[in-house]
Amino acid sequence: MISEKMKPLVNNNSAIRAMFEEGKRLASIYGAENVYDFSLGNPNVPAPEAVKQAIIDVLNEEESTFVHGYMSNAGYEDVRQAVAESLNQRFGTKFHMGNIIMTVGAASGMNIILKTILNPGDQVMAFAPYFVEYGNYVRNYDGELVVVSPNTETFQPNLKEFAEKIGPKTRAVIINSPNNPTGVVYSEETLEKIGEILRAKSEEIGHAIVLISDEPYRELAYDGVFVPYPTKYYDNTIVGYSYSKSLSLPGERIGYVVIPDEVEDSQAVTAAATIANRVLGSVNAPSLMQRVIKRCLNEQVNLEAYDRNRNLLYNSLTEYGFESAKPEGAFYLFVKSPLADEKEFCNICKKHNVLVVPGTSFACPGYVRIAYCVSYEQIERSLPAFQAIAKECGL
Amino acid sequence: MISEKMKPLVNNNSAIRAMFEEGKRLASIYGAENVYDFSLGNPNVPAPEAVKQAIIDVLNEEESTFVHGYMSNAGYEDVRQAVAESLNQRFGTKFHMGNIIMTVGAASGMNIILKTILNPGDQVMAFAPYFVEYGNYVRNYDGELVVVSPNTETFQPNLKEFAEKIGPKTRAVIINSPNNPTGVVYSEETLEKIGEILRAKSEEIGHAIVLISDEPYRELAYDGVFVPYPTKYYDNTIVGYSYSKSLSLPGERIGYVVIPDEVEDSQAVTAAATIANRVLGSVNAPSLMQRVIKRCLNEQVNLEAYDRNRNLLYNSLTEYGFESAKPEGAFYLFVKSPLADEKEFCNICKKHNVLVVPGTSFACPGYVRIAYCVSYEQIERSLPAFQAIAKECGL
């Protein structure tokens, strides 16, 4: 009954999601407080109180048939305009309503963009380690994901290999900063260099290469690190954004894509992406949440909570002998496995009721991802387990 | 920049959506009260007051990180179980949580099912007139839509032609009752016959044909007409449902699919459909609305309002000389065009600020769809325009 394309997906289901299900299973046996689930990027910091108030205000102040009704497939005009103006204010861009399509989260935004631009056999590049779903999104449209190998020194993108691997079939590149799973933030210099390479290579291969910036973690940056806005460094840049992390609303599926005027055939691309939003079945981003977003553009989750988690976990784990780059953004620690096979390491962790995701899931074996978007108390309680794991691994 | 598959979609965008945009344009010129927009199935009857109360109760009674957080890709277990039990109570079925996947509306549900079962070149059948998006959904997965021609006498499905057109490439059939655009409800006898044909033909061609029942209008049925539950008549039946119409929440994108245990490889199909939900970018159905649905399973919009609209519009239009079958369900009137080319008729209507959708959009030229999910007052105000249109068309 299952299509050929879906079979490998069923046989090799997401390790992250499998771990999430495993966590729920273990919690039902040992009690939730004795299971240390660091598998999923599911924010523990609650949505700002303003979100709740905005929902109630929308329900009280706006018409039910408007709030819950259909609107243009790209979203409510006033919401799109407000999003554009908010970006302009924060990043000095010049977006308008016509550049914004509200989407069912960033995952749907990525799908819409890829459906819009990919022909079968087209190549899309990603820098390892990368969010494993990119491969699935690209294959949805019969594209091929080409992976640039990781630079495990700094986890900044390997630009030499990147330039070498671009060829006539290259249609797009996906970047993700602050990065899942490493927490690395791409510097202005990195974006400038990526822009240079893409301009030269687009010219060389005779068609524009689209830079797709997947940035649900934009606002989760620590120590005042600068997160440059990517549309400024290369014209053919499309941004996919989500409020999943910045407002702790991952289940609500609310985000947007930005298709700037500078993108080649910008209007046609926007029209096609809007239609893709419809025919892939989203139709439009959830309406009530669109109305809420308009009222919460200046809200943010409690970043300090993540920052405390980051410091406690990073300091403790390095003290126990684990190796990791200190993340500058997002809410992940990407830790070197003390065993050659990091899946074996994950199994040892699981024995101690600690759930982490193998780096293989991010095309970067030898590492594991630890999501610290959990309670501070969970991290505190888990430390003896991490210590025991370190000992068991000979650290 | 646009992919080959998207080009025809951009060049030939949805006539329904184009009409919706045209309505907004005309309203800005003539004033909303002087434009009679019958183009879109966008409910004018508000969501039940209980929906608003349920949203507020969920926000007050449940944890923010739970309400707005990730859950299993198939949806919250308790919501799925409640949906299953509600169906069992109403239709005498035996569903459980494992048969239900919460989806981003029915449109997303259809996409998920088709992605799960279609290989390139597979055929999916639909009975004209049918919701035009079916063709786009099927082509998303490189399938081919095979259309059974309309029976314009009764608008019941043409079962003789249906049986004849089934062949070795047939993978699925989509039905939609109460029907968009005709308002026709399929009888128990019709479903029994479809089941018989599908059992015989599945045997003949050597693989199961899946019956996909798209039923966002299930609860919108008038005069006590019986709307049979399709899983009872054929084992390989998958249902796609949406709360868009039954609770007037089309913008919220909340619905579910039912994959009964009787479906061949049921567990694998459910697993694959859950993964399809994730990789197509929905990830999960909007979380707050899932929580709300659990509290509103017995709620319904004011059906009497639609019934009044139906009677006023049907009685008036037939009085003016238009021909139409009286709809038994949904909120559409499918009216015979008095001119051979119904697009010309639509243009005459537009001259009178009346917006209706050409039947060509439903693979049934010579007819137009009039969506009466509008205010009673709009229908009243539009009647002189319909009278003038009748006169101009020589009725």
Side-chain angles (χ1 to χ4, degrees), chain B residues 67-110:
Chain B
V67 169
H68 303 302
Y70 285 130
M71 78 301 303
S72 299
N73 295 134
Y76 293 104
E77 276 84 354
D78 62 331
V79 175
R80 293 157 64 203
Q81 185 61 31
V83 166
E85 285 170 11
S86 162
L87 290 172
N88 295 345
Q89 203 172 10
R90 292 165 61 208
F91 305 114
T93 48
K94 291 187 174 161
F95 302 136
H96 54 86
M97 184 189 100
N99 302 126
I100 310 289
I101 299 173
M102 302 304 294
T103 61
V104 172
S108 188
M110 300 293 283

Tab-separated table of all heavy atoms in Angstrom, chain B residues 67-110:
chain	number	residue	atom	x	y	z
B	67	VAL	N	0.141	23.307	25.656
B	67	VAL	CA	-0.873	23.792	24.700
B	67	VAL	C	-0.238	24.229	23.381
B	67	VAL	O	-0.792	23.999	22.311
B	67	VAL	CB	-1.658	24.977	25.312
B	67	VAL	CG1	-2.517	25.669	24.255
B	67	VAL	CG2	-2.494	24.512	26.478
B	68	HIS	N	0.926	24.889	23.457
B	68	HIS	CA	1.557	25.432	22.251
B	68	HIS	C	2.761	24.612	21.805
B	68	HIS	O	3.495	25.035	20.916
B	68	HIS	CB	2.020	26.872	22.504
B	68	HIS	CG	0.941	27.803	22.948
B	68	HIS	ND1	-0.193	28.039	22.193
B	68	HIS	CD2	0.801	28.567	24.068
B	68	HIS	CE1	-0.965	28.912	22.829
B	68	HIS	NE2	-0.387	29.238	23.969
B	69	GLY	N	2.981	23.461	22.458
B	69	GLY	CA	4.210	22.708	22.195
B	69	GLY	C	4.063	21.642	21.132
B	69	GLY	O	2.975	21.407	20.586
B	70	TYR	N	5.179	21.018	20.820
B	70	TYR	CA	5.140	19.859	19.944
B	70	TYR	C	4.458	18.711	20.656
B	70	TYR	O	4.534	18.589	21.885
B	70	TYR	CB	6.564	19.390	19.594
B	70	TYR	CG	7.303	20.235	18.588
B	70	TYR	CD1	8.593	20.679	18.865
B	70	TYR	CD2	6.756	20.542	17.350
B	70	TYR	CE1	9.310	21.428	17.936
B	70	TYR	CE2	7.460	21.297	16.426
B	70	TYR	CZ	8.734	21.739	16.717
B	70	TYR	OH	9.435	22.469	15.814
B	71	MET	N	3.811	17.859	19.880
B	71	MET	CA	3.319	16.591	20.401
B	71	MET	C	3.695	15.548	19.322
B	71	MET	O	4.414	15.883	18.386
B	71	MET	CB	1.813	16.665	20.676
B	71	MET	CG	0.864	16.556	19.507
B	71	MET	SD	1.022	17.772	18.178
B	71	MET	CE	0.841	19.319	19.019
B	72	SER	N	3.221	14.318	19.437
B	72	SER	CA	3.470	13.350	18.373
B	72	SER	C	2.949	13.932	17.053
B	72	SER	O	1.963	14.666	17.053
B	72	SER	CB	2.749	12.041	18.679
B	72	SER	OG	3.231	11.503	19.899
B	73	ASN	N	3.612	13.609	15.947
B	73	ASN	CA	3.213	14.178	14.662
B	73	ASN	C	1.761	13.860	14.297
B	73	ASN	O	1.139	14.564	13.509
B	73	ASN	CB	4.129	13.693	13.533
B	73	ASN	CG	5.562	14.163	13.688
B	73	ASN	OD1	6.501	13.392	13.544
B	73	ASN	ND2	5.756	15.444	13.998
B	74	ALA	N	1.222	12.796	14.862
B	74	ALA	CA	-0.173	12.430	14.574
B	74	ALA	C	-1.168	13.237	15.408
B	74	ALA	O	-2.370	13.186	15.140
B	74	ALA	CB	-0.390	10.940	14.815
B	75	GLY	N	-0.665	13.962	16.388
B	75	GLY	CA	-1.563	14.761	17.239
B	75	GLY	C	-1.536	14.275	18.676
B	75	GLY	O	-0.960	13.229	18.990
B	76	TYR	N	-2.146	15.066	19.572
B	76	TYR	CA	-2.251	14.679	20.984
B	76	TYR	C	-3.049	13.368	21.097
B	76	TYR	O	-4.138	13.260	20.515
B	76	TYR	CB	-3.002	15.754	21.772
B	76	TYR	CG	-2.302	17.077	21.920
B	76	TYR	CD1	-2.695	18.173	21.159
B	76	TYR	CD2	-1.269	17.251	22.837
B	76	TYR	CE1	-2.074	19.409	21.307
B	76	TYR	CE2	-0.643	18.484	22.991
B	76	TYR	CZ	-1.049	19.553	22.221
B	76	TYR	OH	-0.441	20.776	22.377
B	77	GLU	N	-2.547	12.448	21.897
B	77	GLU	CA	-3.223	11.153	22.042
B	77	GLU	C	-4.652	11.321	22.567
B	77	GLU	O	-5.581	10.677	22.071
B	77	GLU	CB	-2.441	10.229	22.993
B	77	GLU	CG	-1.304	9.459	22.366
B	77	GLU	CD	-0.005	10.254	22.287
B	77	GLU	OE1	-0.030	11.463	22.618
B	77	GLU	OE2	1.033	9.680	21.893
B	78	ASP	N	-4.821	12.188	23.572
B	78	ASP	CA	-6.164	12.311	24.157
B	78	ASP	C	-7.154	12.928	23.171
B	78	ASP	O	-8.335	12.565	23.156
B	78	ASP	CB	-6.130	13.107	25.479
B	78	ASP	CG	-5.654	14.542	25.297
B	78	ASP	OD1	-4.865	14.806	24.358
B	78	ASP	OD2	-6.072	15.416	26.087
B	79	VAL	N	-6.666	13.819	22.314
B	79	VAL	CA	-7.546	14.420	21.308
B	79	VAL	C	-7.951	13.360	20.281
B	79	VAL	O	-9.132	13.234	19.918
B	79	VAL	CB	-6.843	15.610	20.612
B	79	VAL	CG1	-7.705	16.157	19.480
B	79	VAL	CG2	-6.516	16.706	21.624
B	80	ARG	N	-6.964	12.570	19.850
B	80	ARG	CA	-7.251	11.525	18.853
B	80	ARG	C	-8.229	10.503	19.413
B	80	ARG	O	-9.148	10.057	18.721
B	80	ARG	CB	-5.956	10.854	18.411
B	80	ARG	CG	-5.042	11.804	17.627
B	80	ARG	CD	-3.587	11.358	17.665
B	80	ARG	NE	-3.402	10.091	17.001
B	80	ARG	CZ	-2.376	9.255	17.243
B	80	ARG	NH1	-1.453	9.575	18.137
B	80	ARG	NH2	-2.271	8.121	16.595
B	81	GLN	N	-8.044	10.142	20.679
B	81	GLN	CA	-8.954	9.177	21.302
B	81	GLN	C	-10.369	9.768	21.398
B	81	GLN	O	-11.351	9.089	21.110
B	81	GLN	CB	-8.424	8.797	22.698
B	81	GLN	CG	-9.223	7.707	23.400
B	81	GLN	CD	-9.246	6.377	22.644
B	81	GLN	OE1	-8.285	6.034	21.948
B	81	GLN	NE2	-10.361	5.654	22.740
B	82	ALA	N	-10.449	11.039	21.758
B	82	ALA	CA	-11.766	11.688	21.875
B	82	ALA	C	-12.463	11.774	20.520
B	82	ALA	O	-13.673	11.555	20.417
B	82	ALA	CB	-11.598	13.079	22.489
B	83	VAL	N	-11.703	12.073	19.476
B	83	VAL	CA	-12.281	12.122	18.126
B	83	VAL	C	-12.801	10.735	17.742
B	83	VAL	O	-13.924	10.584	17.237
B	83	VAL	CB	-11.239	12.621	17.096
B	83	VAL	CG1	-11.707	12.362	15.669
B	83	VAL	CG2	-10.951	14.109	17.300
B	84	ALA	N	-11.988	9.701	18.008
B	84	ALA	CA	-12.392	8.322	17.673
B	84	ALA	C	-13.683	7.961	18.400
B	84	ALA	O	-14.633	7.435	17.791
B	84	ALA	CB	-11.274	7.350	18.046
B	85	GLU	N	-13.743	8.274	19.686
B	85	GLU	CA	-14.933	7.920	20.468
B	85	GLU	C	-16.167	8.679	20.007
B	85	GLU	O	-17.271	8.132	19.982
B	85	GLU	CB	-14.674	8.177	21.962
B	85	GLU	CG	-13.770	7.104	22.563
B	85	GLU	CD	-13.288	7.450	23.977
B	85	GLU	OE1	-13.823	8.415	24.572
B	85	GLU	OE2	-12.366	6.758	24.460
B	86	SER	N	-15.959	9.921	19.625
B	86	SER	CA	-17.091	10.716	19.125
B	86	SER	C	-17.640	10.109	17.828
B	86	SER	O	-18.858	10.010	17.632
B	86	SER	CB	-16.642	12.157	18.918
B	86	SER	OG	-17.531	12.841	18.086
B	87	LEU	N	-16.744	9.680	16.951
B	87	LEU	CA	-17.195	9.036	15.709
B	87	LEU	C	-17.926	7.734	16.027
B	87	LEU	O	-18.979	7.440	15.442
B	87	LEU	CB	-15.999	8.763	14.788
B	87	LEU	CG	-15.348	9.996	14.162
B	87	LEU	CD1	-14.055	9.626	13.437
B	87	LEU	CD2	-16.306	10.686	13.191
B	88	ASN	N	-17.375	6.955	16.948
B	88	ASN	CA	-18.001	5.677	17.312
B	88	ASN	C	-19.420	5.882	17.831
B	88	ASN	O	-20.339	5.142	17.481
B	88	ASN	CB	-17.163	4.968	18.377
B	88	ASN	CG	-15.799	4.563	17.846
B	88	ASN	OD1	-15.572	4.548	16.638
B	88	ASN	ND2	-14.882	4.242	18.750
B	89	GLN	N	-19.561	6.922	18.650
B	89	GLN	CA	-20.860	7.213	19.238
B	89	GLN	C	-21.870	7.624	18.171
B	89	GLN	O	-23.024	7.218	18.206
B	89	GLN	CB	-20.659	8.362	20.227
B	89	GLN	CG	-21.708	8.445	21.302
B	89	GLN	CD	-21.296	9.486	22.345
B	89	GLN	OE1	-20.341	10.246	22.141
B	89	GLN	NE2	-22.022	9.537	23.445
B	90	ARG	N	-21.394	8.408	17.217
B	90	ARG	CA	-22.331	8.938	16.217
B	90	ARG	C	-22.614	7.955	15.092
B	90	ARG	O	-23.694	7.956	14.522
B	90	ARG	CB	-21.789	10.252	15.632
B	90	ARG	CG	-21.787	11.381	16.665
B	90	ARG	CD	-20.924	12.538	16.218
B	90	ARG	NE	-21.388	13.119	14.975
B	90	ARG	CZ	-20.599	13.742	14.102
B	90	ARG	NH1	-19.305	13.855	14.332
B	90	ARG	NH2	-21.091	14.242	12.984
B	91	PHE	N	-21.614	7.136	14.739
B	91	PHE	CA	-21.783	6.314	13.536
B	91	PHE	C	-21.656	4.816	13.788
B	91	PHE	O	-21.668	4.032	12.850
B	91	PHE	CB	-20.781	6.762	12.461
B	91	PHE	CG	-20.879	8.228	12.154
B	91	PHE	CD1	-19.836	9.098	12.457
B	91	PHE	CD2	-22.030	8.743	11.584
B	91	PHE	CE1	-19.940	10.456	12.199
B	91	PHE	CE2	-22.143	10.106	11.308
B	91	PHE	CZ	-21.092	10.959	11.624
B	92	GLY	N	-21.500	4.435	15.055
B	92	GLY	CA	-21.415	3.010	15.353
B	92	GLY	C	-20.145	2.357	14.827
B	92	GLY	O	-20.104	1.146	14.597
B	93	THR	N	-19.102	3.150	14.611
B	93	THR	CA	-17.820	2.609	14.152
B	93	THR	C	-17.029	2.106	15.358
B	93	THR	O	-17.480	2.234	16.499
B	93	THR	CB	-17.034	3.710	13.420
B	93	THR	OG1	-17.057	4.900	14.224
B	93	THR	CG2	-17.664	4.013	12.076
B	94	LYS	N	-15.857	1.524	15.098
B	94	LYS	CA	-15.034	1.014	16.209
B	94	LYS	C	-13.621	1.565	16.132
B	94	LYS	O	-12.642	0.815	16.183
B	94	LYS	CB	-15.032	-0.515	16.185
B	94	LYS	CG	-16.396	-1.075	16.562
B	94	LYS	CD	-16.389	-2.569	16.721
B	94	LYS	CE	-17.742	-3.028	17.249
B	94	LYS	NZ	-17.980	-4.456	17.019
B	95	PHE	N	-13.507	2.843	15.981
B	95	PHE	CA	-12.185	3.463	15.849
B	95	PHE	C	-11.525	3.634	17.204
B	95	PHE	O	-12.185	3.686	18.238
B	95	PHE	CB	-12.295	4.831	15.166
B	95	PHE	CG	-12.923	4.773	13.802
B	95	PHE	CD1	-13.884	5.705	13.410
B	95	PHE	CD2	-12.568	3.783	12.885
B	95	PHE	CE1	-14.463	5.664	12.151
B	95	PHE	CE2	-13.145	3.736	11.613
B	95	PHE	CZ	-14.095	4.679	11.253
B	96	HIS	N	-10.198	3.719	17.176
B	96	HIS	CA	-9.424	4.046	18.367
B	96	HIS	C	-8.388	5.094	17.964
B	96	HIS	O	-8.223	5.393	16.765
B	96	HIS	CB	-8.761	2.788	18.924
B	96	HIS	CG	-7.935	2.044	17.912
B	96	HIS	ND1	-6.620	2.357	17.652
B	96	HIS	CD2	-8.263	1.040	17.055
B	96	HIS	CE1	-6.171	1.554	16.695
B	96	HIS	NE2	-7.137	0.749	16.312
B	97	MET	N	-7.729	5.628	18.970
B	97	MET	CA	-6.694	6.641	18.769
B	97	MET	C	-5.787	6.353	17.565
B	97	MET	O	-5.472	7.226	16.777
B	97	MET	CB	-5.862	6.672	20.051
B	97	MET	CG	-4.810	7.700	20.108
B	97	MET	SD	-3.782	7.393	21.579
B	97	MET	CE	-2.389	6.564	20.819
B	98	GLY	N	-5.380	5.097	17.433
B	98	GLY	CA	-4.437	4.712	16.383
B	98	GLY	C	-4.976	4.867	14.974
B	98	GLY	O	-4.210	4.801	13.999
B	99	ASN	N	-6.277	5.078	14.828
B	99	ASN	CA	-6.865	5.271	13.498
B	99	ASN	C	-6.927	6.739	13.082
B	99	ASN	O	-7.302	7.052	11.957
B	99	ASN	CB	-8.300	4.706	13.457
B	99	ASN	CG	-8.390	3.237	13.795
B	99	ASN	OD1	-9.142	2.830	14.675
B	99	ASN	ND2	-7.602	2.429	13.104
B	100	ILE	N	-6.601	7.625	14.008
B	100	ILE	CA	-6.818	9.061	13.771
B	100	ILE	C	-5.487	9.803	13.671
B	100	ILE	O	-4.620	9.641	14.528
B	100	ILE	CB	-7.639	9.693	14.933
B	100	ILE	CG1	-8.899	8.877	15.248
B	100	ILE	CG2	-7.950	11.171	14.654
B	100	ILE	CD1	-9.982	8.932	14.222
B	101	ILE	N	-5.327	10.605	12.635
B	101	ILE	CA	-4.195	11.534	12.548
B	101	ILE	C	-4.781	12.936	12.428
B	101	ILE	O	-5.539	13.217	11.505
B	101	ILE	CB	-3.304	11.253	11.318
B	101	ILE	CG1	-2.715	9.835	11.384
B	101	ILE	CG2	-2.174	12.289	11.220
B	101	ILE	CD1	-1.960	9.435	10.116
B	102	MET	N	-4.443	13.804	13.361
B	102	MET	CA	-4.908	15.197	13.276
B	102	MET	C	-4.111	15.898	12.160
B	102	MET	O	-2.898	15.699	12.041
B	102	MET	CB	-4.700	15.930	14.604
B	102	MET	CG	-5.396	15.284	15.803
B	102	MET	SD	-7.197	15.054	15.614
B	102	MET	CE	-7.757	16.773	15.577
B	103	THR	N	-4.802	16.716	11.358
B	103	THR	CA	-4.158	17.330	10.185
B	103	THR	C	-4.454	18.821	10.079
B	103	THR	O	-5.378	19.334	10.714
B	103	THR	CB	-4.650	16.663	8.879
B	103	THR	OG1	-6.064	16.855	8.767
B	103	THR	CG2	-4.324	15.184	8.859
B	104	VAL	N	-3.657	19.485	9.255
B	104	VAL	CA	-3.844	20.907	8.940
B	104	VAL	C	-5.008	21.024	7.939
B	104	VAL	O	-4.818	21.250	6.751
B	104	VAL	CB	-2.519	21.500	8.402
B	104	VAL	CG1	-2.723	22.915	7.889
B	104	VAL	CG2	-1.449	21.503	9.501
B	105	GLY	N	-6.219	20.788	8.419
B	105	GLY	CA	-7.401	20.819	7.567
B	105	GLY	C	-7.499	19.586	6.677
B	105	GLY	O	-6.617	18.714	6.693
B	106	ALA	N	-8.573	19.516	5.914
B	106	ALA	CA	-8.782	18.361	5.034
B	106	ALA	C	-7.840	18.419	3.835
B	106	ALA	O	-7.406	17.379	3.327
B	106	ALA	CB	-10.235	18.311	4.572
B	107	ALA	N	-7.504	19.608	3.369
B	107	ALA	CA	-6.624	19.743	2.201
B	107	ALA	C	-5.272	19.100	2.485
B	107	ALA	O	-4.707	18.378	1.655
B	107	ALA	CB	-6.441	21.217	1.840
B	108	SER	N	-4.767	19.332	3.674
B	108	SER	CA	-3.505	18.718	4.063
B	108	SER	C	-3.691	17.220	4.258
B	108	SER	O	-2.829	16.420	3.863
B	108	SER	CB	-3.004	19.388	5.343
B	108	SER	OG	-1.720	18.954	5.656
B	109	GLY	N	-4.825	16.832	4.826
B	109	GLY	CA	-5.126	15.412	4.990
B	109	GLY	C	-5.116	14.671	3.660
B	109	GLY	O	-4.553	13.579	3.541
B	110	MET	N	-5.717	15.280	2.632
B	110	MET	CA	-5.745	14.655	1.301
B	110	MET	C	-4.321	14.503	0.768
B	110	MET	O	-3.949	13.474	0.198
B	110	MET	CB	-6.553	15.518	0.330
B	110	MET	CG	-7.985	15.742	0.722
B	110	MET	SD	-8.984	14.261	0.661
B	110	MET	CE	-9.250	14.137	-1.101
